[in-house]
Amino acid sequence: MHSALFLIEFGAIILGLGLLGRVAGRLKFSPIPLYLLAGLAFGTGGLLPMGASEEFVAIGAEIGVILLLLMLGLEYTASDLVSNLKTQYPAGLVDFALNAVPGAVAALLMGWGPVAAVVLAGVTWISSSGVIAKVMGDLGRVGNRETPVILSVLVLEDLAMAVYLPIITALLAGVSLAAGSATLAIALGVAGAVLFVAVRFGRHISRFVSSDDPEKLLLVVLGLTLLVAGIAQQLQVSAAVGAFLVGIALSGEVAEGTHALLSPLRDLFAAVFFVFFGLHTDPASIPPVLLPALALATVTAGTKIATGYWAAKRAGIGVKGRWRAGGTLVARGEFSIVIAGLAVTAGIEPAMGPLATAYVLILVVIGPLTARYTEPVAAWVAGRRTPQGTATAAVAPPRPAAPEDVTGPGEDHGRQQDQAQDPARRA
């Protein structure tokens, strides 16, 4: 009887997610907020609470996080990461300062304490790679000059996860300073070792894993990922970071074949993860934090726009491209939920889950809108501020389109362009 109830519940969840995904696809909208709402509806305090399938959903959610980070790692080679660190690190520092600080300040103002402040800083800091890549593809901006700048910021945020996740894992576990330092040292050591091995021996690793049989390739890569993720967690390092590093170590045809095989599994378990987060959030707890979430979303939407504008300006992109870069970076999503989920599981602050859910729901809806309309709104405002005496400038002979405003087939941004063309590869 218990197994029958489990099959009914879990089958209903999967069917419901598929239908919600169809609705989101027709509306050209990210399905993440619909998944979160579904979790709210069937979780604690929801319309129809579930029980029999909750344990399996929890395991599926953990696998979803691992697959999200694995697939993200597959998008980059070790040399890509090293190059981005060398050339774009100032943009990463500005991104951290402008977007992590508001979250930390908000947590302290609400009296949540320093640990919650570090967690909320991560929630407001990290943009949604999946939503942003999908938006760029939908808007046809893959060939724009600002696209590599946007992707560089996302890569730096992903790299920062390798340091940030072990830090908050140690803080949430309540370990001592010495133990926390040891955890961070282990994480940095493992990350450095994997990057070194990937640079020097990446081809050999890929050749060892490679197989012409899709079944064997799937089993080897998935098994290796889960094994490394488990070992990383046992060493007090995040399992997600371990999966990310496995993805970095694989390259070439192996990475492409693995991506094709694991994408459906990634999508399935990632959807289960968002539902799981909603299941553990009481809908009645959201209204009290709705105003703080809205205020925080407004502030950090502005700071993300400023981040993208500054990074694009530093790269020599024109004014229109700067505004497009800033507006595109606004969306938050999967990583914000992952970070908040760690705090919810640790029981640090009961209001953290509802606040993060409301915050992500707001920005995952606003993000595609800011990506589309930030640049025209900025141009309209600039036009309104133009003195009347300069109106004659409008009749000047038209000049050729600026390079930053051109989306042409001749522009080739290499692997970064290919990434943005397939939105699912940045989910």
Side-chain angles (χ1 to χ4, degrees):
M1 185 65 182
H2 179 78
S3 62
L5 183 59
F6 160 75
L7 291 175
I8 293 172
E9 286 188 358
F10 193 66
I13 291 174
I14 301 303
L15 177 60
L17 291 177
L19 296 176
L20 290 175
R22 284 188 176 185
V23 172
R26 288 182 178 273
L27 298 176
K28 295 183 178 180
F29 196 77
S30 170
I32 293 175
L34 299 183
Y35 296 157
L36 288 171
L37 290 174
L40 291 172
F42 296 103
T44 305
L47 300 176
L48 185 62
M50 293 187 172
S53 61
E54 185 173 348
E55 184 177 354
F56 185 82
V57 169
I59 297 173
E62 189 169 357
I63 294 175
V65 176
I66 290 172
L67 292 180
L68 276 171
L69 271 293
L70 168 67
M71 300 296 281
L72 187 63
L74 289 173
E75 300 299 329
Y76 310 109
T77 65
S79 57
D80 290 336
L81 299 180
V82 172
S83 175
N84 275 289
L85 280 176
K86 289 181 178 179
T87 59
Q88 299 293 340
Y89 72 89
L93 295 176
V94 170
D95 182 30
F96 171 79
L98 291 182
N99 298 286
V101 172
V105 171
L108 294 176
L109 290 177
M110 289 185 287
W112 288 359
V115 174
V118 175
V119 174
L120 193 57
V123 171
T124 59
W125 174 20
I126 305 296
S127 297
S128 172
S129 302
V131 174
I132 289 171
K134 186 179 190 315
V135 168
M136 287 193 297
D138 291 342
L139 296 179
R141 296 180 180 174
V142 173
N144 284 23
R145 285 191 63 197
E146 74 271 7
T147 297
V149 175
I150 295 170
L151 295 179
S152 293
V153 172
L154 296 177
V155 169
L156 288 166
E157 289 180 350
D158 299 337
L159 283 174
M161 291 281 287
V163 177
Y164 176 78
L165 287 177
I167 291 176
I168 63 169
T169 300
L171 290 175
L172 293 174
V175 300
S176 63
L177 178 61
S181 300
T183 299
L184 180 58
I186 291 173
L188 292 176
V190 170
V194 171
L195 288 176
F196 174 78
V197 171
V199 171
R200 296 293 299 271
F201 308 106
R203 293 182 179 178
H204 301 288
I205 295 174
S206 297
R207 191 178 300 118
F208 172 77
V209 174
S210 178
S211 174
D212 294 331
D213 187 340
E215 178 184 353
K216 295 176 182 177
L217 179 62
L218 173 64
L219 292 174
V220 171
V221 174
L222 184 59
L224 177 64
T225 302
L226 295 175
L227 178 63
V228 172
I231 293 173
Q233 189 134 334
Q234 190 69 23
L235 294 173
Q236 301 295 320
V237 181
S238 170
V241 172
F244 179 68
L245 295 175
V246 170
I248 292 174
L250 301 178
S251 61
E253 294 182 0
V254 172
E256 295 176 2
T258 300
H259 179 273
L261 291 171
L262 287 180
S263 287
L265 283 177
R266 185 272 316 277
D267 295 337
L268 168 63
F269 286 107
V272 170
F273 167 74
F274 292 119
V275 170
F276 175 75
F277 187 84
L279 288 174
H280 287 262
T281 302
D282 188 348
S285 64
I286 290 183
V289 299
L290 191 57
L291 286 179
L294 184 59
L296 194 59
T298 302
V299 171
T300 54
T303 54
K304 272 293 182 182
I305 292 174
T307 298
Y309 187 96
W310 185 89
K313 181 179 180 180
R314 180 175 178 272
I317 308 301
V319 174
K320 291 184 178 181
R322 298 172 197 173
W323 286 117
R324 288 195 296 265
T328 304
L329 286 170
V330 166
R332 294 347 185 251
E334 60 274 16
F335 290 124
S336 297
I337 297 298
V338 168
I339 294 167
L342 295 174
V344 171
T345 303
I348 294 299
E349 176 54 52
M352 179 71 73
L355 179 68
T357 301
Y359 176 79
V360 169
L361 280 171
I362 293 169
L363 288 183
V364 84
V365 171
I366 292 177
L369 299 178
T370 59
R372 183 184 296 269
Y373 296 113
T374 296
E375 183 266 317
V377 168
W380 178 80
V381 172
R384 295 270 296 184
R385 291 180 177 177
T386 301
Q388 294 295 327
T390 62
T392 55
V395 298
R399 61 178 177 83
E404 69 272 11
D405 303 325
V406 176
T407 306
E411 294 203 26
D412 180 14
H413 300 304
R415 191 175 180 185
Q416 291 178 323
Q417 184 175 359
D418 294 336
Q419 294 164 4
Q421 285 176 326
D422 183 1
R425 296 186 64 176
R426 292 283 300 168

